[in-house]
Amino acid sequence: MSDPTGLIVAVAVLAAATAFGPARARSGGRLRTGGRGDASRLLPAELGAALGERATLVQFSTSRCAACPGTRRLLADVAAVTPGVRLVEIDAETRLDLVRRLDVMRTPTVFVLDRTGRVVRRASGAPARADVVAAVQLATTD
């Protein structure tokens, strides 16, 4: 009789992967509260661009990110129709200092900043338009 350990491990890994997929899909792109302390503020010098007068949308992207172009279009559209809101895109592959400091684990990662650069909300994955609009409204409320 052969040892069933390999089969048991394979079944356990398959079950874990099956449970992980839907859980990640539900949480992906959901805008949540930003960080605390120094890591929760981005300055114009770090971004390589001025902050928006009312809010700034920051997208971390990579060249191999399938969802990044669609997210960029969504954020650009929100910025275009919302006075005082600016979009800044950061190449995660060349800005590893910010990736590490802000704990960017996947792309796209989106940050919504208030007018001072404080992170109000963040999303790992492509956010929904309604969530971005709501986060911008939150960021622009003094």
Side-chain angles (χ1 to χ4, degrees):
M1 198 179 273
S2 64
D3 183 12
T5 304
L7 179 60
I8 292 170
V9 169
V11 169
V13 168
L14 182 59
T18 301
F20 176 74
R24 182 170 175 167
R26 279 192 306 274
S27 67
R30 189 170 31 131
L31 284 159
R32 56 186 170 85
T33 304
R36 295 189 184 129
D38 291 337
S40 66
R41 189 172 301 277
L42 290 169
L43 303 174
E46 295 172 300
L47 296 174
L51 296 171
E53 292 175 16
R54 298 180 62 213
T56 304
L57 302 172
V58 179
Q59 177 181 339
F60 281 81
S61 303
T62 57
S63 60
R64 296 186 178 168
C65 171
C68 289
T71 300
R72 181 182 317 110
R73 284 189 298 273
L74 176 129
L75 297 177
D77 185 49
V78 171
V81 300
T82 312
V85 175
R86 174 181 290 247
L87 170 61
V88 176
E89 187 171 4
I90 296 177
D91 180 1
E93 296 167 320
T94 61
R95 292 304 310 269
L96 293 177
D97 57 324
L98 287 178
V99 166
R100 288 183 189 108
R101 185 169 73 102
L102 298 168
D103 199 26
V104 174
M105 301 302 283
R106 68 187 245 200
T107 55
T109 293
V110 175
F111 291 89
V112 180
L113 312 178
D114 68 8
R115 61 188 168 91
T116 68
R118 183 177 59 90
V119 176
V120 176
R121 292 282 187 266
R122 69 178 286 162
S124 292
R129 178 181 300 274
D131 293 340
V132 173
V133 170
V136 167
Q137 287 177 337
L138 178 68
T140 58
T141 305
D142 290 329

